[in-house]
Amino acid sequence: MKKHEAQRLAWDLDWNLLRTFMVVVEERGITAAAERLGLKQPTISNALARLERRLDRRLIERKPNVFEVTRAGQLLYADCVEIFGTVSRLPIRLRDVKEEVTGHVLIAVASHIASPLFDEALSDFHARHPRATFGIQVMTSLDVTTAVAQKRAAFGLCLVHTQDPRLDYRVFYREFFGFFCGPTHRLYGRTGLALEDLRGETSVSFQTDHTSDALRPVALLRARAGVDEEVVGVSSSLEEVRRMITAGLGIGPLPLHVVRRDVRDGLLWRLPPYQDPPAIDIHLVFNPQASLNRAEAGLLALLCERVEALPLPARTYGPE
């Protein structure tokens, strides 16, 4: 594309086409994108075709049962994410001109985040800046990193399997997972069990409990215990995994420090292994290219300071 053609493209291109293309890639299909945008499927198809004609590039290979983003499409998607993030932050940047240290802090977290370090930082920050407001959205770990990459969240706390080179990561705390069962399970109340006693049991778990995902250590342990083939329930929410375990659907993994009270109250029963449970790191994730208001920047800086000042052993919860 010649220089004058590139300049004309910037003035003539319908920016809504870029937003539509970004959603198509994220939803991996025309139909799903139409549902998310509240539009009809032909409208999405026509928009994608218009964009491809305007750029003179094939962006997505569309065949029956095939959805593949081309190299040109991958490059365009990365730029779309940056554009969308910049536009979505405009109200915050403009509001910050007059708000100074006040502002709204939007935080994205995975469902089972439980950390005194995080709680204390929120408390201290609120005491210093009582006019700042907070929004905490619970989502899957993958969606947390997506929200941070798209600058829809100031930062996130989540599991991480593959790091996005556009983002910064800090190990925020370390937790340990154990297997548990509910009061109606046949293993409830039994002591002296070995890992072999779990073989063949039905189980429930998290969506990231795979050898190729963030809970790889847990997945490997489930495979070693022989419960990897009888999964009867999955969820991205810790509360729902806990619900299925207590309801007796099967045994399942949970963070030791999160469910300590449930064990004490008799709602859950700890199963082997009792020694050397799998360790999982929870990361603080943020986008160094995001334009944060003063409240967002201040809380993020406080969290980073606390992480730097506190050695990892002091940010490690369990095992007892």
Side-chain angles (χ1 to χ4, degrees):
M1 183 178 294
K2 297 180 181 179
K3 182 177 180 181
H4 72 278
E5 292 177 337
Q7 292 175 339
R8 181 179 177 183
L9 176 66
W11 286 100
D12 295 345
L13 181 64
D14 183 350
W15 292 66
N16 286 322
L17 299 180
L18 298 180
R19 183 191 64 169
T20 301
F21 171 72
M22 183 182 73
V23 174
V24 169
V25 173
E26 291 176 351
E27 296 296 331
R28 297 197 59 78
I30 302 294
T31 302
E35 292 178 356
R36 176 173 163 183
L37 293 172
L39 300 172
K40 295 182 179 180
Q41 184 174 338
T43 301
I44 303 298
S45 298
N46 290 337
L48 180 58
R50 285 175 55 199
L51 182 61
E52 288 180 327
R53 287 196 302 270
R54 189 65 185 85
L55 298 177
D56 194 25
R57 292 289 188 277
R58 186 71 167 174
L59 301 175
I60 296 176
E61 294 295 342
R62 304 180 296 282
K63 301 176 183 177
N65 299 320
V66 173
F67 181 92
E68 182 177 351
V69 182
T70 66
R71 176 57 178 163
Q74 293 171 0
L75 293 173
L76 180 62
Y77 172 74
D79 287 339
C80 288
V81 168
E82 288 295 320
I83 294 170
F84 180 83
T86 299
V87 173
S88 66
R89 304 293 298 179
L90 284 176
I92 294 176
R93 296 184 66 185
L94 296 176
R95 183 176 61 197
D96 193 43
V97 171
K98 59 182 179 181
E99 285 187 349
E100 298 180 353
V101 78
T102 63
H104 187 70
V105 185
L106 183 59
I107 308 167
V109 301
S111 71
H112 72 284
I113 298 302
S115 165
L117 178 63
F118 182 47
D119 298 344
E120 292 166 5
L122 280 177
S123 177
D124 292 347
F125 189 82
H126 175 65
R128 298 179 194 178
H129 311 291
R131 292 184 58 199
T133 59
F134 304 89
I136 300 179
Q137 294 186 349
V138 179
M139 54 187 71
T140 67
S141 290
L142 179 60
D143 287 340
V144 169
T145 56
T146 299
V148 174
Q150 293 183 350
K151 306 173 187 176
R152 291 186 282 112
F155 57 86
L157 292 169
C158 62
L159 302 169
V160 174
H161 176 59
T162 303
Q163 294 193 0
D164 187 328
R166 297 171 296 175
L167 306 179
D168 278 356
Y169 297 82
R170 311 283 173 86
V171 175
F172 197 69
Y173 69 88
R174 179 168 293 166
E175 62 185 6
F176 293 83
F177 274 70
F179 285 134
F180 296 88
C181 68
T184 62
H185 196 275
R186 71 178 190 87
L187 296 179
Y188 184 89
R190 291 180 56 180
T191 59
L193 295 172
L195 193 61
E196 292 74 20
D197 294 317
L198 308 185
R199 186 169 300 277
E201 293 290 334
T202 58
S203 67
V204 300
S205 197
F206 295 87
Q207 290 179 343
T208 51
D209 182 0
H210 297 284
T211 56
S212 61
D213 215 325
L215 284 180
R216 172 181 169 83
V218 175
L220 292 175
L221 181 60
R222 287 201 314 112
R224 186 155 61 91
V227 296
D228 58 320
E229 296 180 357
E230 298 294 333
V231 181
V232 299
V234 296
S235 177
S236 61
S237 166
L238 180 142
E239 289 77 13
E240 297 310 318
V241 172
R242 174 185 174 278
R243 185 197 307 276
M244 290 187 284
I245 295 174
T246 57
L249 273 64
I251 67 175
L254 292 168
L256 297 179
H257 74 292
V258 174
V259 299
R260 190 169 291 130
R261 179 179 298 178
D262 288 337
V263 173
R264 187 169 60 245
D265 293 344
L267 298 175
L268 294 170
W269 183 260
R270 174 81 184 276
L271 300 170
Y274 306 114
Q275 304 295 326
D276 300 321
I280 300 295
D281 288 340
I282 302 298
H283 289 76
L284 171 65
V285 185
F286 58 94
N287 189 337
Q289 301 300 320
S291 298
L292 305 181
N293 64 36
R294 291 183 183 272
E296 293 170 327
L299 179 55
L300 178 58
L302 178 60
L303 291 172
C304 290
E305 290 171 5
R306 298 287 174 91
V307 169
E308 293 296 328
L310 203 59
L312 182 57
R315 293 179 276 120
T316 298
Y317 310 132
E320 296 181 340

